[in-house]
Amino acid sequence: MSDKFDCLKLENQLCFPLYAASREVLRRYTPLLKPLDLTYTQYIVLMVLWEQQEISVCELGKKLFLDTGTLSPLLKSMEKKDLLTRTRAKSDERIVNVAITKEGMALREKAADIPPAMGSCLSLSQEEAAELYRLLYKLLNV
């Protein structure tokens, strides 16, 4: 017979292995990002900018699932490192656009080795990684 408190057991929680796996992945990124003087969150901001060169803070937040309260200090810090610039849109001053700088773009070359290094330290086949990717984005409703 099932106990009404079974749902509260850690072993029955989907959220816990997601949380623990996320922490483990971030822990493994740290030594790879340290030589670039980047945090993981700064790295994913740069990944978007390497692809798009310029984006509004609002759109960046949507892509990265981050709110402006998290993004604003992060972007300010990255601007101080001369990795990006923030400017208000001429058409609507409420919109802040973020653009990558030459220094930010130069980090792309150094960062190119990070994804293969991460892939080699995770114990998933390419098929398993692709399935996990699909399931995680399904969970995010994307």
Side-chain angles (χ1 to χ4, degrees):
M1 181 182 290
S2 178
D3 183 323
K4 80 174 193 174
F5 298 109
D6 277 355
C7 65
L8 296 176
K9 290 181 178 177
L10 191 60
E11 67 192 41
N12 294 332
Q13 304 303 307
L14 175 61
C15 60
F16 179 70
L18 285 170
Y19 164 78
S22 174
R23 288 182 43 89
E24 180 61 20
V25 167
L26 292 177
R27 186 187 69 74
R28 291 181 188 196
Y29 264 105
T30 300
L32 301 172
L33 294 171
K34 191 172 181 153
L36 304 180
D37 190 29
L38 294 174
T39 64
Y40 179 75
T41 315
Q42 291 171 336
Y43 173 63
I44 62 175
V45 166
L46 285 174
M47 290 177 101
V48 171
L49 291 173
W50 290 330
E51 217 176 304
Q52 294 190 235
Q53 280 74 57
E54 187 172 335
I55 190 170
S56 73
V57 171
C58 183
E59 285 302 309
L60 182 62
K62 286 177 187 173
K63 276 188 168 291
L64 299 178
F65 298 92
L66 296 172
D67 60 44
T68 54
T70 301
L71 269 178
S72 293
L74 174 71
L75 297 174
K76 186 176 184 178
S77 160
M78 292 177 76
E79 190 171 35
K80 284 182 181 174
K81 290 181 176 186
D82 202 27
L83 300 175
L84 55 83
T85 60
R86 294 177 299 156
T87 54
R88 296 212 173 265
K90 290 185 185 350
S91 60
D92 185 345
E93 289 200 5
R94 295 172 296 179
I95 299 172
V96 176
N97 291 317
V98 180
I100 195 158
T101 62
K102 189 163 56 168
E103 290 78 4
M105 204 63 183
L107 283 179
R108 184 169 69 163
E109 188 68 37
K110 295 176 183 174
D113 295 331
I114 294 173
M118 279 302 295
S120 70
C121 76
L122 298 176
S123 57
L124 296 174
S125 69
Q126 281 188 313
E127 294 79 18
E128 290 170 327
E131 179 65 5
L132 180 59
Y133 179 90
R134 186 189 70 73
L135 290 171
L136 289 172
Y137 271 98
K138 182 177 182 180
L139 193 79
L140 292 169
N141 292 314
V142 178

